[in-house]
Amino acid sequence: SLDVAWSLIDDRSGEVVMIRNASYRQTSEGADFDAYAATLSAVLAQLGDDLAAALERLPVAGTVR
């Protein structure tokens, strides 16, 4: 399991643009280190997908909101 809290901050203004909390759960397919590493990799990939989706929803710099 992975529980995270993250935020996106505009580096020009310092404004907090987005704050999120998320929990990711996945059952490991085995009890050895390789299975643990594969499960952790899958959980981190889910977090990465959520971060990428959040970034895609942000307005492009220089556009009118």
Side-chain angles (χ1 to χ4, degrees):
S1 66
L2 176 66
D3 297 312
V4 297
W6 56 270
S7 59
L8 296 177
I9 300 171
D10 186 313
D11 62 347
R12 293 162 292 176
S13 68
E15 173 189 4
V16 176
V17 178
M18 185 180 298
I19 298 172
R20 295 288 185 268
N21 294 306
S23 295
Y24 304 92
R25 306 277 182 267
Q26 186 159 334
T27 303
S28 182
E29 298 296 322
D32 62 351
F33 182 77
D34 289 339
Y36 173 75
T39 302
L40 183 57
S41 178
V43 169
L44 290 172
Q46 292 173 20
L47 171 60
D49 290 345
D50 286 351
L51 290 169
L55 289 170
E56 288 177 352
R57 288 191 299 269
L58 293 177
V60 177
T63 61
V64 177
R65 288 185 179 187

